[in-house]
Structures are given as structure tokens and as C-alpha cells.
Amino acid sequence: MNRTLRRAAWGVLAILLGGYAAIYLMVWRHALTRLADPPARPADAALVLGNRAYKDGRPNPCMTGRVDAGVALAKAGAVRQLVFSGGVDHEDGRIEAEVMARHARSVGYAGSALLEDGSQSTRENLALSRAVLQAAGIHSVVVVTEPYHLWRAERLAHAGGFDRQFDVQFAAAPSSCWQTWGMAFKGALREPFAIVNNAMNGYLH
């Protein structure tokens, strides 16, 4: 490779890394803002977005942390019921929504639990939960997920019209997954790529 091509290659790499870093910082700042800004008004339900069900043979802390945050909202009287959204986990065959509901019961939640068990992505979490929410007469929703995930979840909710169909708030789940791995794992290594992928497919517009 001659010097001109090497310079061009390094230039392209610098642009890509700069774009990646910009997305990383945007997601990070938004995560910190949401952690400091919990839902301000009561809602009919908390919609807990799915995640991989198990990790190393045990319930995934990223998933259980989201459920714990939803249960905390219910126990505080901020929501009247919980809705769990997540389809088949292709790694172990479990249905995420069912695993989440069982975990909620195991930590003392005794209220109403509705399940959306067909979704395979954040966009589908929101889209496929609509019918469940409407059938239950739910008009106001707190969408619960981890801090790093909220920037994209909020844009998907807006782009898909979810936030025009329901009164929507968002809650950041300070899970052990977030606290242990944080942006160094989930944010830096995955979320910027997911944002770019969603944008390229027109899901964030």
C-alpha cells in the first residue's frame, strides 16, 4: 500500500473512531441524566423490556435488574401493574417475558403481570406490546430498561409512534449489570453499533 492509500485508510479509521466516540459520549451523558431523573408522575403500568434470560447458568443480571426496577416502581405506588416484553431467547430456548415474570414473583411482587412473548428486539418490544397494553386499558406507561439502552429506546418509541399512543415516561434501571460492566461493556462495545444499525434501517426516523 502506497503512502497516499495508507493516509486515506488512517483518515477513514479516524472518522469511524470519532463517530463511535461521539455516540458513546451521547449515550453515556443521556444515561447519567436519566439515572438522576426518575419518572415524575404515577402511571398505569411499567413496561419492562426484555434481555437475554440466562448467563452462565444463572438469571442474567441485566434482565433481573430491569425487573427489580419495575418491581420497585410498583412497590412505591408509581405504577399499578407490570408488563414484561421479550420472546424466545435463542441461546437457551427460554421465553424472556416468562423468566422476568417468575423473577418478579420471586422477589415479592404479587400484583398483575402481563406478558408480551413474541418480540426479538427493542423495536419489537415496543411494537408488539401495544396490543397487550391496549387490551388491559393501559394509557400511561413507564418504559424500564438499563441506562445505556434508554437513548435508543426513547428514539424507537418516538419513531414508531408509541409515545403518541400512550403517555410515556422512561426509567433507568441501575442494575448490577450496569454497575459492574457499565458503558465499558454494554455501551462501548454494543450500543453504538445498535444505534447505527437501527438508523441505517430507518427505525430511528
Side-chain angles (χ1 to χ4, degrees):
M1 182 183 295
N2 62 39
R3 181 175 299 179
T4 300
L5 288 178
R6 282 199 300 271
R7 287 179 177 175
W10 280 111
V12 170
L13 180 61
I15 291 171
L16 292 174
L17 290 175
Y20 186 92
I23 296 173
Y24 173 101
L25 290 173
M26 174 184 67
V27 170
W28 170 258
R29 292 179 63 184
H30 189 74
L32 295 180
T33 298
R34 281 299 183 199
L35 281 166
D37 184 27
R41 57 190 184 277
D44 295 332
L47 173 61
V48 184
L49 304 187
N51 200 311
R52 177 180 175 183
Y54 275 68
K55 178 179 173 61
D56 300 328
R58 294 177 295 180
N60 178 12
C62 300
M63 179 204 68
T64 57
R66 297 180 185 190
V67 176
D68 291 344
V71 170
L73 288 171
K75 289 183 175 180
V79 300
R80 293 191 291 106
Q81 57 188 312
L82 301 181
V83 182
F84 302 108
S85 176
V88 175
D89 186 330
H90 294 301
E91 294 187 19
D92 58 25
R94 291 179 172 88
I95 296 175
E96 293 175 1
E98 293 179 355
V99 176
M100 289 193 288
R102 286 197 297 271
H103 177 74
R105 299 301 186 197
S106 75
V107 295
Y109 177 69
S112 172
L114 305 177
L115 275 61
E116 179 288 301
D117 59 5
S119 56
Q120 294 293 319
S121 67
T122 303
R123 183 175 66 90
E124 290 185 357
N125 286 151
L126 297 167
L128 299 184
S129 293
R130 292 186 184 194
V132 176
L133 298 171
Q134 289 177 319
I138 293 169
H139 301 286
S140 55
V141 182
V142 177
V143 177
V144 181
T145 189
E146 282 170 291
Y148 73 85
H149 191 209
L150 276 170
W151 188 94
R152 182 161 57 98
E154 291 178 32
R155 270 74 189 167
L156 288 168
H158 182 70
F162 187 86
D163 63 356
R164 293 185 288 279
Q165 196 164 5
F166 304 96
D167 175 14
V168 182
Q169 300 177 82
F170 295 88
S175 67
S176 63
C177 176
W178 160 265
Q179 294 166 356
T180 302
W181 298 333
M183 298 302 292
F185 182 79
K186 283 292 185 180
L189 297 184
R190 179 185 181 278
E191 194 61 18
F193 290 115
I195 289 171
V196 171
N197 177 270
N198 283 182
M200 291 180 66
N201 281 285
Y203 300 151
L204 299 181
H205 302 158

